[in-house]
């Protein structure tokens, strides 16, 4: 497999600085409260891992796996629940951690799924937001970066399962 170095869209140090600020804001907003953090696999695992280290609160971590893209660069339009959380979130403060809000379909579906379980409050942290593709209105409480309409990879985000390990957000160029 040949080595390919994608163009950098957001450098590692910019991500670190932004996550510190998000962690501080979350810590302040949930002061004296417990928090259940739900990491949306797979893409959000790197962001979530760095973010929770910056949240100074008693939190519990849960994972949920949702998938709509398969190996394509376009959403299939269906969101599949591949793995559910194990905790009961009734009456709890929930922070969903996503890597990217693109069409908004994944988050819309997840919010509907969680609302039925009657949490106290649900907030959303997303590292990236691509407004150009938005089809479902989504409010992002803690946003890392708004980005232009490019297919991004790295820092947890993949193309056909690859590039998640890149320490920065890169741009996938056609032909790679
Ligand atoms: C990606 C990403 C978000 C979702 C955003 O997940 O991690 O969950 O797409 O797109 P949307 O706003 O258009 O719904 P993907 O289905 O690629 O799964 P993955 O996280 O396992 O890579």
């Amino acid at each position: 497999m040949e080595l390919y170095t994608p163009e950098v869209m957001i450098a590692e140090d910019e991500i670190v600085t932004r996550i510190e600020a998000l962690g501080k804001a979350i810590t302040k907003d949930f002061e004296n409260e417990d928090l259940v953090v739900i990491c949306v696999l797979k893409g959000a695992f790197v962001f979530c891992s760095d973010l929770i280290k910056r949240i100074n609160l008693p939190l519990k971590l849960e994972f949920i796996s949702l998938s709509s893209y398969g190996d394509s660069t376009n959403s299939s339009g269906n969101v599949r629940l591949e793995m559910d959380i194990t905790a009961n979130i009734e009456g709890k403060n929930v922070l969903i951690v996503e890597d990217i809000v693109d069409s908004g379909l994944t988050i819309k579906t997840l919010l509907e799924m969680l609302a039925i379980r009657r949490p106290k409050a649900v907030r959303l942290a997303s590292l990236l937001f691509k407004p150009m593709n938005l089809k479902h209105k989504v409010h992002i409480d803690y946003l890392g970066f708004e980005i232009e309409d490019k297919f991004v990879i790295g820092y947890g985000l993949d193309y056909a399962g690859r590039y998640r390990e890149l320490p920065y957000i890169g741009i996938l160029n056609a032909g790679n």
Side-chain angles (χ1 to χ4, degrees):
M1 200 178 281
E2 88 224 48
L3 267 180
Y4 154 65
T5 308
E7 184 188 333
V8 177
M9 178 187 265
I10 308 169
E12 193 175 359
D13 57 344
E14 283 180 78
I15 298 173
V16 170
T17 304
R18 191 71 197 115
I19 288 178
E20 275 173 11
L22 295 180
K24 270 189 194 149
I26 293 164
T27 303
K28 186 164 167 275
D29 291 355
F30 288 95
E31 202 181 352
N32 301 321
E33 304 252 5
D34 290 351
L35 193 58
V36 178
V37 173
I38 301 181
C39 173
V40 184
L41 296 173
K42 298 175 185 163
F45 82 103
V46 179
F47 173 46
C48 189
S49 152
D50 286 346
L51 183 64
I52 58 170
K53 288 181 270 184
R54 303 290 170 192
I55 301 174
N56 189 17
L57 293 170
L59 64 80
K60 286 189 175 164
L61 181 60
E62 289 287 324
F63 296 95
I64 197 163
S65 180
L66 299 167
S67 189
S68 63
Y69 281 69
D71 279 356
S72 159
T73 53
N74 296 310
S75 172
S76 65
N78 294 311
V79 178
R80 260 199 343 259
L81 175 64
E82 296 185 331
M83 188 189 84
D84 204 350
I85 56 171
T86 55
N88 179 358
I89 57 166
E90 187 170 346
K92 302 276 172 57
N93 291 307
V94 170
L95 178 70
I96 300 170
V97 179
E98 257 292 20
D99 52 342
I100 186 166
V101 174
D102 192 348
S103 71
L105 180 66
T106 303
I107 275 303
K108 176 183 174 274
T109 309
L110 178 57
L111 287 170
E112 288 169 359
M113 235 179 243
L114 297 181
I116 297 166
R117 304 177 192 189
R118 310 199 315 169
K120 181 176 172 190
V122 179
R123 301 283 179 266
L124 170 63
S126 183
L127 181 65
L128 305 173
F129 173 48
K130 205 193 269 187
M132 280 291 289
N133 284 345
L134 197 68
K135 293 190 182 67
H136 306 277
K137 200 161 177 257
V138 171
H139 175 71
I140 303 173
D141 301 280
Y142 307 99
L143 174 64
F145 304 91
E146 188 171 307
I147 60 167
E148 54 185 313
D149 190 18
K150 301 261 164 96
F151 195 92
V152 282
I153 49 177
Y155 204 77
L157 289 96
D158 75 312
Y159 170 62
R162 291 194 53 207
Y163 307 112
R164 293 194 198 272
E165 72 283 7
L166 294 176
Y168 57 89
I169 298 292
I171 299 169
L172 183 81
N173 292 315
N176 288 297

